[in-house]
Amino acid sequence: MTTHTAEVNIATKGASSATTLKRSLGLWAIVGLGLGYMTPTTVFDTFGIVSNETNGAVPLAYLVALVAMVFTAVSYGRMTRVFPSAGSAYTYTSETIHPNLGFLVGWASLLDYLLLPLVNALLIRIYMESFFPDVPAWIWVVAYVIVITVLNLWSMKSTSKINGFLVVFEVVLIGVFLVLAWNALSHGDGNGSLFTTTPLFHDGVDASAIMSGATVVCFSFIGFDAITMYTEEAKDTKTVPKAIVLALLIGGAIFFVAAWFGQSVFPTLDGFQNTDDTLPEMALKVGGEFFKILFTSAAFAATVASSLSSHASVSRMIFVMGRNGRGPVSRLFSFVHPRFQTPSFAVIFVGAVSMLAIPFTLEFVSSMINFGALIAFTFVNLTVVVYFVFRKKEYRTPREVFTNILLPVIGMVLTGVLWANLNLDALTYGAIWFGIGVLCLLVITKGFRSRLSVSMREEDAVELDG
């Protein structure tokens, strides 16, 4: 065995008879899950917030966030090749630096992964309340969460097919919006032309405002990293790094182009009644009442797609953390249903957490979303340096310095800057969550005196040795 796998406690006992996750996902199914997680219509929901934050430079905020994410996506792709196991930043940090630190990184990112399905359930509650104000809100949350949970329990392949259909539907509707926006511009609305740099640069735009806006839209990009959670369900693990980059670039292109058209048609928010969620009014202004209904239905579909993919990915992360833990709770979460080949108890647990959409508000939950994700992004970049430079000693040629030091360090700096620009609520609640994680680790390791084990599947260890 190589050095890094020698430190890994591989659970081989009963490996031949253990139930494993089913390998049913191809390249585009995984890309679709990533796009579904990213929710392309979010660019219209948050347009008013980001436009106010950046003083009318929404496309530039997305461009800055995309550049920061590209460096991190490259790091994710490289570490996925080295460790073809679900678990994402948790797995990479555990195996390259220390399992105890990996637990804390996983715990931090778990906050965001758990909150995303909850946010989607909350959005559905808000949508349905607006249509049926007399129906108790809890009914919509319970019914919706049960449907999403059952679909995730049933089959990963079925989940990806439904997700793919919903993603195609919302992307088609975004394309219709772009056509209608082009028509509005040709009739002199907004800037009167697409061919202007005004959406990127104009008086009143400054770097600090753009960074604040980039921190907000960074939430939209959370999803490309979640693709790593499907590594153990990919037909070929070699497709996962490609899927990560494709999902990020396709999603980033949709965000940027949609933001450019939107900012060109609406250089200011004059005339908007609600700037907290501008999607319905943007659709109404460019396409009338019928298109508003269609576009709102696309946003509904996008939320469902995001629910399916985010619920699936966080349950896989809980599954891996359970597989590497000790005691009855860990055994429960690491259980794979023998018929459906899905981590059933982890899926049910995520559904139970999503029920908190009944009492919580969107403002409270969304304030905590980016905290753990940016910590995870930073550590994934760090693991590239630790593994390739300190473990493999690959730093002697200009190419190795560029790929193993320069690129991941740039990724760390950019995600660190975004993290530093999070609002106070996100930092406060995130710190409380992180503190709970430290206490849990203190108990599990008996005062940090013991080292957590990291359990990979036997066939993955063989691939690493090869």
Side-chain angles (χ1 to χ4, degrees), residues 165-223:
F165 173 80
L166 295 173
V167 168
V168 169
F169 176 65
E170 63 178 299
V171 170
V172 168
L173 265 295
I174 290 174
V176 174
F177 175 89
L178 300 183
V179 172
L180 293 172
W182 182 291
N183 181 63
L185 289 168
S186 66
H187 286 83
D189 292 351
N191 290 329
S193 173
L194 272 178
F195 307 104
T196 171
T197 59
T198 303
L200 289 179
F201 306 105
H202 56 264
D203 291 340
V205 175
D206 62 76
S208 61
I210 295 301
M211 289 307 303
S212 296
T215 302
V216 175
V217 303
C218 180
F219 165 71
S220 302
F221 287 96
I222 297 176

Coordinates of all heavy atoms in Angstrom, one line a residue, residues 165-223:
F165 N -35.4 16.1 -16.1 CA -36.6 16.7 -16.8 C -36.9 18.1 -16.3 O -37.1 19.1 -17.1 CB -37.8 15.8 -16.6 CG -39.1 16.4 -17.1 CD1 -39.5 16.4 -18.4 CD2 -40.0 17.0 -16.2 CE1 -40.7 16.9 -18.9 CE2 -41.2 17.6 -16.6 CZ -41.5 17.5 -18.0
L166 N -36.8 18.3 -15.0 CA -37.1 19.6 -14.4 C -36.1 20.7 -14.8 O -36.4 21.8 -15.1 CB -37.2 19.5 -12.9 CG -38.4 18.7 -12.3 CD1 -38.2 18.5 -10.8 CD2 -39.7 19.3 -12.7
V167 N -34.8 20.2 -14.8 CA -33.7 21.1 -15.2 C -33.9 21.6 -16.7 O -33.7 22.8 -17.0 CB -32.3 20.5 -15.0 CG1 -31.2 21.3 -15.7 CG2 -32.0 20.3 -13.6
V168 N -34.2 20.7 -17.6 CA -34.4 21.0 -19.0 C -35.6 22.0 -19.1 O -35.5 23.0 -19.8 CB -34.8 19.8 -19.8 CG1 -35.3 20.2 -21.2 CG2 -33.5 18.9 -19.9
F169 N -36.7 21.8 -18.3 CA -37.8 22.7 -18.4 C -37.4 24.1 -17.9 O -37.8 25.1 -18.6 CB -38.9 22.2 -17.4 CG -40.1 23.0 -17.3 CD1 -40.9 23.3 -18.4 CD2 -40.4 23.6 -16.1 CE1 -42.0 24.1 -18.3 CE2 -41.6 24.5 -16.0 CZ -42.4 24.7 -17.1
E170 N -36.7 24.3 -16.9 CA -36.3 25.6 -16.4 C -35.3 26.3 -17.3 O -35.4 27.5 -17.6 CB -35.8 25.6 -15.0 CG -34.5 24.8 -14.8 CD -34.0 24.9 -13.3 OE1 -33.7 26.0 -12.8 OE2 -33.9 23.8 -12.7
V171 N -34.4 25.5 -17.9 CA -33.5 26.1 -18.8 C -34.2 26.6 -20.1 O -33.8 27.7 -20.6 CB -32.3 25.1 -19.2 CG1 -31.5 25.6 -20.3 CG2 -31.5 24.8 -18.0
V172 N -35.1 25.8 -20.6 CA -35.9 26.3 -21.8 C -36.6 27.6 -21.5 O -36.6 28.5 -22.3 CB -36.9 25.2 -22.2 CG1 -37.9 25.7 -23.2 CG2 -36.2 24.0 -22.8
L173 N -37.2 27.7 -20.3 CA -38.0 28.9 -19.9 C -37.0 30.1 -19.8 O -37.3 31.2 -20.1 CB -38.8 28.7 -18.7 CG -40.2 28.3 -18.8 CD1 -41.0 29.4 -19.5 CD2 -40.4 27.0 -19.7
I174 N -35.8 29.8 -19.3 CA -34.8 30.9 -19.2 C -34.4 31.4 -20.6 O -34.3 32.6 -20.9 CB -33.5 30.4 -18.5 CG1 -33.8 30.2 -17.0 CG2 -32.4 31.4 -18.6 CD1 -32.7 29.6 -16.2
G175 N -34.3 30.4 -21.6 CA -34.1 30.8 -23.0 C -35.2 31.6 -23.5 O -34.9 32.6 -24.2
V176 N -36.4 31.4 -23.2 CA -37.6 32.2 -23.6 C -37.5 33.6 -23.0 O -37.7 34.6 -23.7 CB -38.9 31.5 -23.2 CG1 -40.1 32.5 -23.5 CG2 -39.1 30.2 -23.9
F177 N -37.0 33.7 -21.8 CA -36.8 35.0 -21.1 C -35.8 35.8 -21.9 O -36.0 37.0 -22.1 CB -36.4 34.8 -19.7 CG -36.1 36.1 -19.0 CD1 -37.0 36.9 -18.4 CD2 -34.8 36.7 -19.1 CE1 -36.7 38.1 -17.8 CE2 -34.5 37.9 -18.5 CZ -35.5 38.6 -17.8
L178 N -34.7 35.2 -22.3 CA -33.7 35.9 -23.0 C -34.2 36.4 -24.4 O -33.8 37.5 -24.8 CB -32.5 34.9 -23.3 CG -31.8 34.4 -22.0 CD1 -30.6 33.5 -22.4 CD2 -31.4 35.5 -21.1
V179 N -35.0 35.6 -25.1 CA -35.6 36.1 -26.3 C -36.5 37.3 -26.1 O -36.4 38.3 -26.8 CB -36.4 34.9 -27.0 CG1 -37.1 35.4 -28.2 CG2 -35.4 33.8 -27.4
L180 N -37.3 37.2 -25.1 CA -38.2 38.3 -24.8 C -37.4 39.6 -24.3 O -37.8 40.7 -24.7 CB -39.2 37.9 -23.7 CG -40.2 36.8 -24.1 CD1 -41.0 36.4 -22.8 CD2 -41.2 37.3 -25.1
A181 N -36.4 39.4 -23.6 CA -35.5 40.5 -23.2 C -34.9 41.1 -24.4 O -34.8 42.4 -24.4 CB -34.5 40.0 -22.2
W182 N -34.4 40.3 -25.3 CA -33.8 40.8 -26.5 C -34.8 41.7 -27.3 O -34.5 42.8 -27.8 CB -33.3 39.7 -27.4 CG -32.6 40.1 -28.7 CD1 -33.2 40.7 -29.8 CD2 -31.2 40.0 -29.0 NE1 -32.3 40.9 -30.7 CE2 -31.0 40.5 -30.3 CE3 -30.1 39.5 -28.3 CZ2 -29.8 40.5 -30.9 CZ3 -28.9 39.5 -28.9 CH2 -28.7 40.0 -30.2
N183 N -36.0 41.2 -27.4 CA -37.1 41.9 -28.1 C -37.3 43.3 -27.4 O -37.5 44.3 -28.0 CB -38.4 41.1 -28.1 CG -39.5 41.8 -28.8 OD1 -39.4 42.1 -30.0 ND2 -40.6 42.1 -28.1
A184 N -37.3 43.3 -26.0 CA -37.6 44.5 -25.3 C -36.5 45.5 -25.5 O -36.7 46.7 -25.7 CB -37.7 44.2 -23.8
L185 N -35.2 45.0 -25.6 CA -34.1 45.9 -25.8 C -34.1 46.5 -27.2 O -33.8 47.7 -27.5 CB -32.8 45.1 -25.6 CG -32.4 44.8 -24.2 CD1 -31.2 43.8 -24.2 CD2 -32.0 46.0 -23.4
S186 N -34.6 45.7 -28.2 CA -34.6 46.1 -29.6 C -35.7 47.2 -29.8 O -35.7 48.0 -30.7 CB -35.0 45.0 -30.5 OG -36.2 44.5 -30.3
H187 N -36.6 47.3 -28.8 CA -37.6 48.4 -28.8 C -37.3 49.5 -27.9 O -38.1 50.4 -27.6 CB -39.0 47.8 -28.4 CG -39.7 46.9 -29.5 ND1 -39.3 45.6 -29.7 CD2 -40.6 47.2 -30.4 CE1 -40.1 45.1 -30.7 NE2 -40.8 46.1 -31.2
G188 N -36.0 49.6 -27.5 CA -35.5 50.7 -26.7 C -35.6 50.6 -25.2 O -35.3 51.6 -24.5
D189 N -36.1 49.5 -24.7 CA -36.2 49.4 -23.2 C -34.8 49.3 -22.6 O -33.8 48.8 -23.2 CB -37.0 48.2 -22.8 CG -38.5 48.3 -23.2 OD1 -38.9 49.4 -23.6 OD2 -39.2 47.3 -23.1
G190 N -34.7 49.7 -21.3 CA -33.5 49.5 -20.6 C -32.3 50.3 -21.2 O -32.4 51.5 -21.5
N191 N -31.2 49.6 -21.4 CA -30.0 50.2 -22.1 C -30.2 50.4 -23.6 O -29.4 51.0 -24.2 CB -28.8 49.3 -21.8 CG -28.3 49.4 -20.4 OD1 -28.5 50.4 -19.7 ND2 -27.8 48.3 -19.9
G192 N -31.2 49.7 -24.1 CA -31.5 49.8 -25.5 C -30.6 48.9 -26.4 O -30.8 48.9 -27.6
S193 N -29.7 48.2 -25.8 CA -28.8 47.4 -26.5 C -28.1 46.4 -25.6 O -27.8 46.7 -24.4 CB -27.7 48.2 -27.3 OG -26.8 47.3 -27.9
L194 N -27.8 45.2 -26.1 CA -27.0 44.2 -25.4 C -25.5 44.5 -25.5 O -24.7 44.2 -24.6 CB -27.2 42.8 -25.9 CG -28.4 42.0 -25.4 CD1 -28.4 40.6 -26.1 CD2 -28.2 41.8 -23.9
F195 N -25.1 45.2 -26.6 CA -23.7 45.4 -26.9 C -23.2 46.7 -26.2 O -22.9 47.7 -26.8 CB -23.5 45.5 -28.4 CG -24.1 44.3 -29.1 CD1 -25.3 44.4 -29.8 CD2 -23.5 43.0 -29.0 CE1 -25.9 43.3 -30.4 CE2 -24.1 41.9 -29.6 CZ -25.3 42.0 -30.3
T196 N -23.1 46.6 -24.9 CA -22.6 47.7 -24.1 C -22.0 47.1 -22.8 O -22.4 46.1 -22.4 CB -23.7 48.7 -23.7 OG1 -23.2 49.6 -22.7 CG2 -24.9 47.9 -23.1
T197 N -21.0 47.8 -22.3 CA -20.3 47.3 -21.1 C -20.9 47.8 -19.8 O -20.4 47.6 -18.7 CB -18.8 47.7 -21.1 OG1 -18.7 49.2 -21.2 CG2 -18.1 47.1 -22.3
T198 N -22.0 48.6 -20.0 CA -22.7 49.1 -18.8 C -23.0 48.1 -17.7 O -22.9 48.4 -16.5 CB -24.0 49.9 -19.2 OG1 -23.6 50.9 -20.2 CG2 -24.6 50.6 -18.0
P199 N -23.5 46.9 -18.0 CA -23.8 45.9 -17.0 C -22.6 45.5 -16.2 O -22.7 45.0 -15.1 CB -24.4 44.7 -17.8 CG -24.9 45.3 -19.0 CD -24.0 46.4 -19.4
L200 N -21.4 45.8 -16.7 CA -20.2 45.4 -16.0 C -19.5 46.6 -15.3 O -19.1 46.6 -14.2 CB -19.1 44.8 -16.9 CG -19.4 43.4 -17.5 CD1 -18.3 42.9 -18.4 CD2 -19.6 42.4 -16.3
F201 N -19.4 47.7 -16.1 CA -18.7 48.9 -15.6 C -19.5 50.2 -15.8 O -19.9 50.4 -17.0 CB -17.3 49.0 -16.3 CG -16.5 47.8 -16.2 CD1 -16.3 47.0 -17.3 CD2 -15.8 47.5 -15.0 CE1 -15.5 45.8 -17.2 CE2 -15.1 46.3 -14.9 CZ -14.9 45.5 -16.0
H202 N -19.7 50.9 -14.8 CA -20.3 52.3 -14.9 C -20.1 53.0 -13.6 O -19.5 52.5 -12.6 CB -21.8 52.2 -15.2 CG -22.6 51.3 -14.2 ND1 -22.9 50.0 -14.4 CD2 -23.1 51.7 -13.0 CE1 -23.5 49.6 -13.3 NE2 -23.7 50.6 -12.5
D203 N -20.4 54.3 -13.6 CA -20.2 55.1 -12.4 C -20.9 54.5 -11.2 O -22.1 54.1 -11.3 CB -20.7 56.5 -12.7 CG -19.8 57.3 -13.7 OD1 -18.6 56.8 -13.9 OD2 -20.3 58.2 -14.3
G204 N -20.2 54.5 -10.1 CA -20.8 54.1 -8.9 C -20.5 52.6 -8.5 O -20.9 52.2 -7.4
V205 N -19.8 51.9 -9.4 CA -19.4 50.5 -9.1 C -18.1 50.5 -8.5 O -17.1 51.1 -9.0 CB -19.4 49.7 -10.4 CG1 -18.9 48.3 -10.1 CG2 -20.8 49.7 -11.1
D206 N -17.9 49.9 -7.3 CA -16.6 49.8 -6.7 C -16.4 48.4 -6.2 O -17.3 47.5 -6.2 CB -16.5 50.8 -5.4 CG -17.5 50.4 -4.4 OD1 -17.3 49.4 -3.6 OD2 -18.6 51.2 -4.3
A207 N -15.1 48.1 -5.9 CA -14.6 46.7 -5.7 C -15.3 46.1 -4.4 O -15.7 44.9 -4.5 CB -13.1 46.7 -5.5
S208 N -15.5 46.9 -3.4 CA -16.1 46.3 -2.2 C -17.5 45.9 -2.4 O -18.0 44.9 -1.9 CB -16.0 47.4 -1.0 OG -16.7 48.6 -1.4
A209 N -18.3 46.7 -3.2 CA -19.7 46.4 -3.5 C -19.7 45.1 -4.3 O -20.6 44.3 -4.1 CB -20.3 47.5 -4.2
I210 N -18.8 45.0 -5.3 CA -18.8 43.8 -6.1 C -18.5 42.5 -5.3 O -19.1 41.5 -5.5 CB -17.8 43.9 -7.3 CG1 -18.2 45.1 -8.2 CG2 -17.7 42.6 -8.0 CD1 -19.6 44.9 -8.8
M211 N -17.5 42.7 -4.3 CA -17.2 41.5 -3.5 C -18.4 41.1 -2.6 O -18.7 39.9 -2.4 CB -16.0 41.8 -2.6 CG -14.7 41.9 -3.4 SD -14.3 40.4 -4.4 CE -14.4 39.1 -3.2
S212 N -19.1 42.1 -2.1 CA -20.3 41.8 -1.3 C -21.3 41.1 -2.2 O -22.0 40.1 -1.7 CB -20.9 43.1 -0.7 OG -20.0 43.7 0.2
G213 N -21.5 41.6 -3.4 CA -22.5 40.9 -4.3 C -22.0 39.5 -4.7 O -22.8 38.6 -4.8
A214 N -20.7 39.3 -4.9 CA -20.2 38.0 -5.2 C -20.4 37.0 -4.1 O -20.6 35.8 -4.3 CB -18.7 38.1 -5.5
T215 N -20.3 37.5 -2.8 CA -20.6 36.7 -1.7 C -22.0 36.2 -1.7 O -22.3 35.0 -1.4 CB -20.3 37.4 -0.4 OG1 -18.9 37.9 -0.4 CG2 -20.5 36.5 0.8
V216 N -22.9 37.1 -2.1 CA -24.4 36.7 -2.2 C -24.6 35.6 -3.2 O -25.2 34.6 -3.0 CB -25.3 37.9 -2.4 CG1 -26.7 37.5 -2.6 CG2 -25.2 38.9 -1.3
V217 N -24.0 35.9 -4.5 CA -24.3 35.0 -5.6 C -23.5 33.7 -5.5 O -23.8 32.7 -6.2 CB -24.0 35.6 -6.9 CG1 -24.8 36.9 -7.1 CG2 -22.5 36.0 -7.1
C218 N -22.5 33.7 -4.6 CA -21.7 32.5 -4.3 C -22.7 31.3 -3.9 O -22.4 30.2 -4.3 CB -20.7 32.7 -3.2 SG -19.7 31.3 -2.8
F219 N -23.8 31.7 -3.3 CA -24.8 30.7 -2.9 C -25.3 29.9 -4.1 O -25.6 28.7 -4.0 CB -25.9 31.4 -2.2 CG -27.2 30.6 -2.0 CD1 -27.3 29.5 -1.2 CD2 -28.3 30.9 -2.8 CE1 -28.4 28.8 -1.1 CE2 -29.5 30.2 -2.6 CZ -29.5 29.1 -1.8
S220 N -25.4 30.6 -5.2 CA -25.9 30.0 -6.5 C -25.0 28.9 -7.0 O -25.5 28.0 -7.7 CB -26.1 31.1 -7.6 OG -27.0 32.1 -7.1
F221 N -23.7 29.0 -6.7 CA -22.8 28.1 -7.3 C -22.6 26.8 -6.4 O -22.0 25.8 -6.8 CB -21.4 28.7 -7.4 CG -21.3 29.7 -8.6 CD1 -21.5 31.0 -8.3 CD2 -21.1 29.3 -9.9 CE1 -21.5 32.0 -9.4 CE2 -21.1 30.1 -10.9 CZ -21.3 31.5 -10.7
I222 N -23.2 26.9 -5.2 CA -23.1 25.7 -4.3 C -23.9 24.6 -5.0 O -25.1 24.7 -5.2 CB -23.6 25.9 -2.9 CG1 -22.8 27.0 -2.2 CG2 -23.7 24.7 -2.1 CD1 -23.3 27.4 -0.9
G223 N -23.3 23.5 -5.4 CA -23.9 22.4 -6.1 C -22.9 21.7 -7.0 O -22.9 20.5 -7.1

